[in-house]
Amino acid sequence: RRGVAWLARTPRARVVCVCTLALLAMSELMDDSMESGGDTSQQQQQQQAEEQQQQQQQHQQQQLEEGGQGGEQQGPQMGEGGCGDEAQCNLIINYLPPEWSEETLREMFAPFGPIASQKLMTDPGTGKSLCYAFVKYESSTAASGAVEQMNGVQVSGKRLKVAFARPSNEATKRTNVYIAHLPNTTTQQNVVELFGPFGNIIESNILKNSEGQCKGVAFVRYSVREQAMAAINAMNGAMLAGNTKPLVVKFAETAEDKRKKYLQSSASSAFNAYGGMSGMG
């Protein structure tokens, strides 16, 4: 960098140097990110996986609400036998066995009533199941029956979670909460009991080490942002019995948050570099 700054003796050369230094800063940030590894890397991977799943779920839900999937039977229009409230007909099914296919999904959920559309979510690159799906019934009665009968059912070692899909609106954005400094004896049930009073928990996960113990980090996703905010306000800084550090409870970073932070850091590095060169003239 010093060599580049030394060469910047004209305004045009300085502009070139600023661009060069910005690229160098970005490269260093990327290298640091790749080398960080450890718990931070696992936390970021966990957040990215959850963010990707939430985005896919919301996108798929919007498609179903707009008329179903290509190749699937279209739902009836408003009227007798139809679904007056889309939110009461559209279900999301989590924790599906990885070997389930579209056919298996239909076989398991068709007994409750006519299905307007369905979609088993898969990885675009590998085609493997992401272990969750959407099923839209033609009537709210059928959807309610499926939730009542199938939620909590044990299948191939997994317990299905069947619920009405959440509406895609502002209230359901930023509902994922990051929790740090948990005791290493913490279980997922402990996390649910600790954070359950603040709202409806859609899902929760704790990071574990190779011995199966909690690494002090967990994620809790609520139904709506208001519930997540209540948990953050009440639990951030709380001291748990036997713990030496207060809890850190905040919104989990989204991909957009990370992108903005990266761009701000790169711009700051370039600005500082230009400021140093301008003093050389």
Side-chain angles (χ1 to χ4, degrees):
R1 288 188 181 184
R2 291 179 180 176
V4 173
W6 181 81
L7 290 173
R9 297 185 177 276
T10 68
R12 179 175 296 180
R14 288 178 181 175
V15 172
V16 173
C17 287
V18 168
C19 294
T20 302
L21 288 170
L23 290 174
L24 287 172
M26 290 181 184
S27 176
E28 289 174 0
L29 286 170
M30 293 177 68
D31 290 342
D32 290 342
S33 176
M34 293 176 65
E35 292 172 0
S36 60
D39 294 348
T40 300
S41 177
Q42 290 190 20
Q43 293 169 16
Q44 291 176 343
Q45 290 174 4
Q46 177 75 19
Q47 291 178 22
Q48 290 171 352
E50 291 181 350
E51 290 161 14
Q52 180 184 22
Q53 182 179 28
Q54 184 184 37
Q55 290 170 357
Q56 290 174 325
Q57 289 175 351
Q58 290 180 344
H59 176 67
Q60 183 61 33
Q61 182 182 335
Q62 289 173 346
Q63 289 182 317
L64 288 174
E65 290 173 352
E66 290 170 1
Q69 297 297 312
E72 296 290 347
Q73 178 185 357
Q74 295 294 315
Q77 301 299 316
M78 297 289 293
E80 184 177 358
C83 190
D85 185 354
E86 295 289 338
Q88 296 302 312
C89 294
N90 195 14
L91 304 184
I92 180 171
I93 303 100
N94 282 303
Y95 310 125
L96 294 173
E99 66 272 14
W100 272 32
S101 64
E102 290 279 6
E103 291 73 20
T104 310
L105 181 67
R106 181 170 286 275
E107 288 174 3
M108 294 296 291
F109 285 87
F112 303 101
I115 294 176
S117 59
Q118 68 174 64
K119 181 63 177 179
L120 175 67
M121 301 306 296
T122 57
D123 186 294
T126 65
K128 292 183 179 180
S129 171
L130 293 175
C131 298
Y132 73 96
F134 289 92
V135 171
K136 181 180 179 182
Y137 285 96
E138 294 185 0
S139 72
S140 58
T141 301
S144 297
V147 172
E148 182 179 348
Q149 297 296 321
M150 296 298 290
N151 185 43
V153 170
Q154 288 276 109
V155 181
S156 301
K158 287 198 170 189
R159 186 183 297 275
L160 300 183
K161 181 176 178 61
V162 184
F164 292 102
R166 298 185 299 161
S168 299
N169 54 42
E170 290 299 321
T172 61
K173 294 180 180 179
R174 300 305 297 267
T175 59
N176 195 23
V177 175
Y178 165 85
I179 306 143
H181 298 166
L182 288 166
N184 60 8
T185 56
T186 302
T187 65
Q188 189 162 330
Q189 183 60 35
N190 294 149
V191 172
V192 172
E193 291 174 355
L194 193 60
F195 286 87
F198 304 104
N200 180 40
I201 294 178
I202 300 298
E203 59 182 341
S204 62
N205 294 288
I206 63 173
L207 300 188
K208 299 180 181 180
N209 59 25
S210 57
E211 298 178 354
Q213 288 184 318
C214 175
K215 298 177 70 173
V217 174
F219 294 90
V220 172
R221 188 183 300 281
Y222 288 95
S223 294
V224 294
R225 179 186 173 89
E226 183 179 5
Q227 297 169 353
M229 182 62 75
I232 291 171
N233 290 338
M235 298 302 293
N236 186 43
M239 289 292 296
L240 299 183
N243 217 16
T244 58
K245 293 182 179 180
L247 291 181
V248 172
V249 185
K250 61 183 181 179
F251 285 115
E253 283 190 341
T254 64
E256 180 63 16
D257 291 334
K258 295 170 187 174
R259 186 185 72 84
K260 288 180 178 179
K261 187 180 294 184
Y262 175 78
L263 292 176
Q264 289 172 354
S265 178
S266 299
S268 177
S269 296
F271 179 80
N272 291 335
Y274 180 77
M277 289 188 298
S278 63
M280 294 178 59

